[in-house]
Amino acid sequence: MRKKMAGSTRLFVSHDTHTVISLCSRVLVMDHGNLVFDGSPRDAVEFYTKSVQNKQIYTGDTGESAADPGSREKESPVNDVNWIDVDPASCSGVGAVVIEKIAVTNTEGCDVTVVQPGDCIAVEMLVHVKQAKENLIFGYIVRDRVGLDIFGENSVRTEGFLSLDTGSFRVYFEFIWPDIRPAEYTLTLGIGEGENPLDHIIQCWAHNVKAFEMTSFSAPVHCLFNNKIQAFHLTESR
């Protein structure tokens, strides 16, 4: 596409920010039919990303948000949560402990749909315990668009095994988004029971309950992720 677009003016319309960065030299950002940004691909994608994450409402006149984000009170990730109901059809497991609602935000409490390397993702789950349990494990998996498990972790490494009585509980944790290939990813949340973090009873897995679009302004990612060359030497051989 880059070769075919060389030497001519083409209009490319897309929500695929990685492709926009790769192909375009100038980017216009539209919001409800209004032009809200006109600039370089990097600046445009950054503007678009922040607008999505901060839930800005654009005036369409100057490209500025109708409300100054710095003047808004920060939403608490604990007390002011925009819950997403978990469809029981998306869940698997024994079901003595279930995930009823989730919230996935940035650290300011705003919903996240577009992510970049280094972003802190805050996850909260509303969990119902039907039967008192010991040795509970809470974790997450991020999958790519074809369902491959890309990265994840559970609470054993940081918190050990947890015990809960019957009732409702709120589980909160954070993770940093790694520098992986720009693409679409989904989040799966899970609760296990047992003393082995890799082999235990699945109480509840809520599959693909949140979708992300990954963008990157760093060096090109050649494979799934980059692993830096630590030493490189070039010498003349005689």
Side-chain angles (χ1 to χ4, degrees), residues 114-192:
V114 179
V115 292
Q116 299 178 48
D119 282 356
C120 183
I121 309 301
V123 178
E124 189 164 7
M125 297 184 284
L126 184 62
V127 173
H128 181 59
V129 182
K130 302 176 183 178
Q131 179 182 353
K133 291 292 181 180
E134 298 181 353
N135 300 324
L136 288 179
I137 304 168
F138 298 86
Y140 76 96
I141 293 173
V142 170
R143 295 177 172 138
D144 67 10
R145 65 198 311 169
V146 297
L148 294 177
D149 296 345
I150 304 302
F151 67 90
E153 182 59 289
N154 60 48
S155 57
V156 173
R157 181 178 295 184
T158 56
E159 304 297 328
F161 299 97
L162 302 171
S163 299
L164 292 178
D165 291 327
T166 56
S168 295
F169 299 87
R170 297 170 86 154
V171 179
Y172 179 88
F173 64 87
E174 299 175 355
F175 66 89
I176 302 299
W177 194 274
D179 193 359
I180 57 177
R181 177 189 300 152
E184 295 178 359
Y185 297 92
T186 58
L187 176 69
T188 291
L189 299 173
I191 304 172

Side-chain angles (χ1 to χ4, degrees), residues 182-203:
E184 295 178 359
Y185 297 92
T186 58
L187 176 69
T188 291
L189 299 173
I191 304 172
E193 178 190 8
E195 298 182 352
N196 186 331
L198 297 176
D199 184 13
H200 48 259
I201 298 171
I202 301 300
Q203 284 293 340

Side-chain angles (χ1 to χ4, degrees), residues 28-37 48:
L28 310 180
V29 180
M30 307 295 292
D31 180 68
H32 291 86
N34 297 314
L35 176 65
V36 294
F37 187 90
Y48 171 77

